[in-house]
Amino acid sequence: MKDLTINTATAYDLPAAFVGRHLIDGAWVDGAAWFERISPSHEVVVSRSAMAGEAETVAAVAAARRAFDAGVWSRISGKERATVLLRVADLIEANVERIAVQETLESGKPISQSRGEVGGAADLWRYAAALARTSHGDSHNSLGDDMLGVVVKDPIGVVSIITPWNFPFWILSQKLPFALAAGCTVVVKPSEMTPSSTIMLGELLIEAGLPAGVCNIVLGYGQPVGSMMSTHKDVDMVTFTGSTAVGKLITQASSGTLKKVALELGGKNPQVIMPDADLENAADAVTFGIYFNVGQCCNSSSRIIVHEDIAERFVARVVELSRQVKFGDPLDDSTQVGAIVTAEHNAKIDGYVQDAIKAGAKVELGGGPLPVDGLGPQFYQPTVVTNVTPDMAIAREEVFGPVLTVLTFKTLDEAIALTNDSDYGLSAGIWSSDIHTCLEFSRRAHAGTVWTNTWMDGYPELAFGGVKQSGQGREIGKYGYDEFLEVKSVVMRVGRDSRAPWVEASA
């Protein structure tokens, strides 16, 4: 903890606990039971939410099914859908502060990051609105004088959307506006740890004029809510973001009805640092990549692969920058890194570090929980671990915390081999002044996204998703929109009596 930059608790009045209810068929519904969320930073109850069971989940799916089959959303024009989505985007921007404060209280992330996440999500809604108006199929006029073929794209139907706790508003906005733009109806289940921003978005959907039943929200736990959303026969697709282990369970559960499943799962994302890189810029990006969202990010660059000639001084610079990152009170505008989501997860992070030390790794910085005066115990020190070997759990498994592991290499081939030596394949990056090196790495790295001389830049136009055990399918961009569409071929005969009879006329 020596020489770290820590923001201790400031004096302010926390808002009253937010009360969240289910949104089913356009109405807010209380639950027979309730659950509470205690802020990981401030150790007070910050939300009280209705808890769904089988009855609420069945009702939500039924409402989505009725709305889809009635065509109140699925069969209106793209222009009409886009108009509602654009209203939602405007309303999000008008409510950034309210939503961001609640997200910070529930998740522990810094308020500046929550503001960026919520405000930035409006752009995803605007881009999805553009896709609603520009989507089209194909025509085939080359099948002969008497035939015309048309390929159309229909909404897939009822979609179950299950979102995680680490980016509750942003990840929902990577899914929901694209599903709605396609004409689908949905049932949404946010994480029980960060439910409130989803309910706040539900309020905005109603205000924007979304018809009843098009978007339904149920609050609760994976059992029974998430399980039923994955298995119900009236659900046509499940899109889930979360751990690889849960993603596998959803795939298994949904197999009984052969519904479509899209998954955005874990990552163990490398950044390769070549000797000819802009090392100062690379060190800053590595520091950002490991501490952003307290490392609780599927895109976290939790392992760096550094050329052995520069490894010692590069790691020293990352350690120096790490000491300058502001950890502490998430409601302080200058805080860059907040709290770990639960005490159990904090202990799990520390377990990875301690096991690595026992296996011969060396801690250059941190390596334990971080006490912050006036706040709860759910903080972890910025941690840099060297002398790591590829077989260690800390180098292979998703730690999901502010813990950076360092491996070294001699040749580009060795760096690429280390990059691909993983069960995951979400993202990867390389730092080099040689464009040929960057392009070769980009072609050979097994990852859904490759960054060169940057890290974690993204745009609504560019698809996001992983390979291997990082998931299947894509989110955002045109490819993410297409996930919510079914392709249908329409074959039309042109001209009267142009089809030759199959049954021969009797004499």
Side-chain angles (χ1 to χ4, degrees), residues 51 139 158 162 167 237 245 253 267 320 326 336 389 440 458:
M51 185 185 298
S139 62
V158 175
I162 305 174
F167 295 94
M237 175 182 174
E320 183 180 359
K326 296 176 181 177
Q336 295 172 287
T389 56
E440 181 176 356

Side-chain angles (χ1 to χ4, degrees), residues 156-411:
I156 198 168
V158 175
V159 179
S160 288
I161 298 177
I162 305 174
T163 56
W165 49 262
N166 56 339
F167 295 94
F169 199 89
W170 179 265
I171 289 176
L172 179 57
S173 295
Q174 289 190 158
K175 301 173 186 287
L176 179 56
F178 295 88
L180 294 178
C184 298
T185 60
V186 302
V187 180
V188 178
K189 191 199 91 65
S191 167
E192 66 276 7
M193 289 186 280
T194 53
S196 299
S197 62
T198 298
I199 294 300
M200 291 176 173
L201 180 58
E203 296 169 351
L204 304 185
L205 294 175
I206 293 174
E207 187 176 348
L210 189 73
V214 174
C215 179
N216 306 273
I217 302 171
V218 283
L219 308 175
Y221 293 79
Q223 291 293 344
V225 181
S227 178
M228 292 187 67
M229 289 171 62
S230 303
T231 57
H232 200 291
K233 64 181 180 59
D234 286 337
V235 171
D236 301 293
M237 175 182 174
V238 180
T239 175
F240 166 80
T241 296
S243 72
T244 297
V246 175
K248 291 177 180 179
L249 293 175
I250 288 175
T251 301
Q252 294 168 2
S254 63
S255 64
T257 52
L258 291 179
K259 59 174 80 330
K260 183 176 183 178
V261 177
L263 303 171
E264 195 273 284
L265 307 174
K268 192 66 179 176
N269 313 295
Q271 292 197 64
V272 171
I273 319 297
M274 302 298 292
D276 63 345
D278 178 343
L279 297 183
E280 184 63 26
N281 200 4
D284 183 81
V286 165
T287 305
F288 160 71
I290 189 56
Y291 301 128
F292 178 70
N293 210 57
V294 209
Q296 298 171 137
C297 175
C298 58
N299 260 337
S300 172
S301 57
S302 54
R303 60 186 178 123
I304 58 171
I305 303 171
V306 190
H307 194 280
E308 60 180 21
D309 290 349
I310 60 167
E312 185 174 348
R313 61 190 173 102
F314 186 80
V315 170
R317 182 56 178 154
V318 171
V319 168
E320 183 180 359
L321 291 174
S322 298
R323 294 187 187 279
Q324 300 172 35
V325 175
K326 296 176 181 177
F327 281 61
D329 186 3
L331 288 177
D332 185 319
D333 284 344
S334 67
T335 293
Q336 295 172 287
V337 184
I340 302 300
V341 68
T342 65
E344 293 77 14
H345 188 54
N346 209 20
K348 182 179 178 182
I349 293 168
D350 193 51
Y352 276 108
V353 175
Q354 301 312 316
D355 287 347
I357 294 171
K358 293 175 184 176
K362 178 183 178 183
V363 174
E364 304 288 345
L365 177 70
L370 175 65
V372 179
D373 290 343
L375 296 175
Q378 289 172 216
F379 293 80
Y380 201 83
Q381 296 179 46
T383 299
V384 179
V385 184
T386 59
N387 202 31
V388 173
T389 56
D391 61 307
M392 292 181 182
I394 201 170
R396 305 195 66 82
E397 299 177 17
E398 191 175 34
V399 176
F400 227 58
V403 177
L404 179 67
T405 59
V406 182
L407 298 100
T408 61
F409 71 96
K410 295 180 180 179
T411 67

Side-chain angles (χ1 to χ4, degrees), residues 127 131 135-136 153 460-461 463 476-483:
Y127 181 71
L131 293 174
S135 180
H136 60 85
K153 297 179 180 179
E461 294 85 352
I476 66 177
K478 180 68 165 52
Y479 294 100
Y481 171 72
D482 286 345
E483 293 284 345

